[in-house]
């Protein structure tokens, strides 16, 4: 089975980071990045992935031509996540290359914003089958986050889960469990974190199968089901995306009642969007 990302790490910049960057050269603003991202969210929430790709490519080209590296970096990070979702490996690799180039060129590697882009890049490298290259980047992100963020910050959850998946690719299963459990502990403190928690539990169920710890599988899937069926959880496009990531695990382990109920919910959400 394909291993799923925890979530698409977002590129929500803290613009105070830029004042700490060694590159203090003027940077023209070629895009209203908040508006660009809002339009992107609308396209993705309605599963208009071709239109979303066209939208980001337009703004990538425009910001590059104008020398607006800050906005381009945001867009390159979003392209990484979008291309993971659509499976465009060549385009994903190009976004990673350019995104990391911008981070290094402008001295953003020690900032939270730069680390978040690096997290997205490492997650994409894992998607591309380059986990050995991704792990040192994850480690660097962990170091930066630990220096600047509260230990309960939601960004640690995405980091830990995606680190776990990378370590799973190289067979370090005890390390995998450690990071999945860290991810679960972090996301429990996050508002509306049930979607992400469900994905983590599904990943743990598959891990315990690999480890021969079958006694833990049912517990993990019950936890995932409980997270997905919280009455307070918004029935929106992101929830539908989460269900689509979790369904293969329920199917694999023969939890057909849960699978059937989740498929019904997924169809209902898709009909509304």
């Amino acid at each position: 089975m394909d291993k799923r990302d925890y979530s698409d790490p977002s590129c929500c910049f803290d613009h105070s980071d830029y004042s700490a960057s060694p590159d203090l050269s003027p940077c023209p603003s070629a895009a209203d990045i908040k508006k660009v991202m809002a339009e992107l969210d609308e396209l993705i929430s309605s599963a208009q992935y071709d239109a979303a790709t066209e939208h980001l490519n337009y703004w990538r080209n425009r910001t590059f031509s104008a020398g607006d590296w800050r906005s381009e970096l945001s867009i390159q990070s979003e392209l990484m996540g979008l291309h993971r979702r659509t499976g465009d490996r060549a385009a994903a690799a190009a976004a990673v290359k350019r995104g990391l180039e911008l981070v290094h060129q402008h001295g953003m590697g020690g900032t939270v914003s730069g680390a978040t882009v690096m997290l997205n890049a490492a997650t994409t490298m894992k998607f591309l089958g380059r986990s050995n290259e991704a792990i040192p980047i994850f480690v660097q992100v962990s170091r930066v986050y630990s220096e600047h963020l509260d230990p309960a910050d939601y960004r640690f959850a995405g980091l830990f889960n995606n680190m776990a998946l990378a370590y799973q690719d190289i067979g370090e299963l005890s390390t995998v469990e450690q990071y999945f459990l860290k991810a679960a502990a972090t996301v429990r403190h996050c508002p509306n974190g049930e979607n992400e928690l469900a994905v983590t539990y599904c990943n743990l169920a598959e891990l315990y199968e690999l480890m021969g710890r079958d006694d833990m599988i049912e517990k993990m899937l019950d936890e995932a089901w409980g997270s997905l069926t919280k009455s307070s959880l918004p029935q929106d496009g992101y929830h539908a995306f989460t269900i689509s990531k979790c369904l293969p695990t329920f199917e694999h382990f023969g939890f057909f009642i849960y699978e059937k109920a989740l498929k019904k919910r997924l169809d209902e959400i898709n009909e509304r969007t």
Side-chain angles (χ1 to χ4, degrees):
M1 288 176 285
D2 291 337
K3 299 296 182 286
R4 275 93 46 205
D5 298 337
Y6 182 90
S7 62
D8 289 337
S10 61
C11 187
C12 301
F13 281 108
D14 175 355
H15 289 278
S16 65
D17 284 343
Y18 294 121
S19 63
S21 171
D23 186 347
L24 300 178
S25 58
C27 178
S29 178
D32 181 341
I33 202 66
K34 290 185 177 179
K35 182 177 179 181
V36 171
M37 296 308 170
E39 292 174 2
L40 174 66
D41 288 344
E42 290 181 6
L43 293 170
I44 290 178
S45 66
S46 58
Q48 298 182 61
Y49 299 127
D50 288 343
T53 302
E54 183 178 350
H55 172 69
L56 285 180
N57 284 341
Y58 169 81
W59 285 108
R60 177 201 61 196
N61 294 338
R62 182 164 174 176
T63 54
F64 172 78
S65 297
D68 181 1
W69 66 266
R70 296 177 175 88
S71 295
E72 186 195 350
L73 184 55
S74 268
I75 290 165
Q76 292 290 354
S77 190
E78 294 293 342
L79 280 167
M80 295 175 204
L82 179 59
H83 292 319
R84 288 200 308 272
R85 186 172 293 197
T86 62
D88 190 334
R89 300 174 68 85
V96 166
K97 181 179 179 181
R98 177 60 177 165
L100 291 178
E101 179 181 277
L102 286 169
V103 168
H104 297 151
Q105 180 180 346
H106 297 284
M108 296 293 291
T111 68
V112 171
S113 297
T116 300
V117 176
M118 292 168 65
L119 170 55
N120 210 355
T123 301
T124 306
M125 292 166 73
K126 183 230 159 297
F127 159 76
L128 294 169
R130 296 160 53 188
S131 289
N132 279 314
E133 297 174 66
I135 287 172
I137 299 177
F138 283 129
V139 171
Q140 183 176 350
V141 173
S142 182
R143 187 180 305 116
V144 174
Y145 278 6
S146 296
E147 290 174 357
H148 297 287
L149 299 178
D150 185 283
D153 191 285
Y154 74 95
R155 282 166 283 196
F156 278 106
L159 169 63
F160 292 149
N161 205 75
N162 288 310
M163 283 183 80
L165 293 172
Y167 278 111
Q168 187 163 326
D169 284 347
I170 65 173
E172 296 190 17
L173 299 188
S174 61
T175 304
V176 175
E177 182 185 22
Q178 172 188 342
Y179 280 112
F180 277 149
L181 293 175
K182 283 185 176 183
T186 302
V187 80
R188 285 193 190 98
H189 301 290
C190 300
N192 299 317
E194 288 84 1
N195 283 308
E196 289 79 8
L197 195 56
V199 175
T200 301
Y201 282 130
C202 284
N203 284 332
L204 275 165
E206 295 186 18
L207 172 65
Y208 287 134
E209 181 184 37
L210 289 174
M211 298 176 75
R213 297 172 59 183
D214 293 352
D215 58 309
M216 294 294 293
I217 293 173
E218 183 174 355
K219 179 180 179 181
M220 294 299 100
L221 294 180
D222 284 341
E223 293 283 2
W225 168 257
S227 296
L228 287 170
T229 54
K230 290 283 186 182
S231 58
S232 59
L233 198 60
Q235 308 295 295
D236 55 12
Y238 185 64
H239 183 55
F241 181 61
T242 302
I243 290 173
S244 71
K245 292 195 288 185
C246 293
L247 274 172
T249 303
F250 287 108
E251 181 181 12
H252 173 74
F253 289 112
F255 279 59
F256 299 123
I257 294 176
Y258 290 173
E259 179 194 3
K260 181 178 179 181
L262 290 173
K263 282 183 176 178
K264 180 181 178 182
R265 178 179 297 183
L266 180 61
D267 290 341
E268 290 171 350
I269 295 172
N270 289 336
E271 286 174 2
R272 295 196 299 268
T273 58

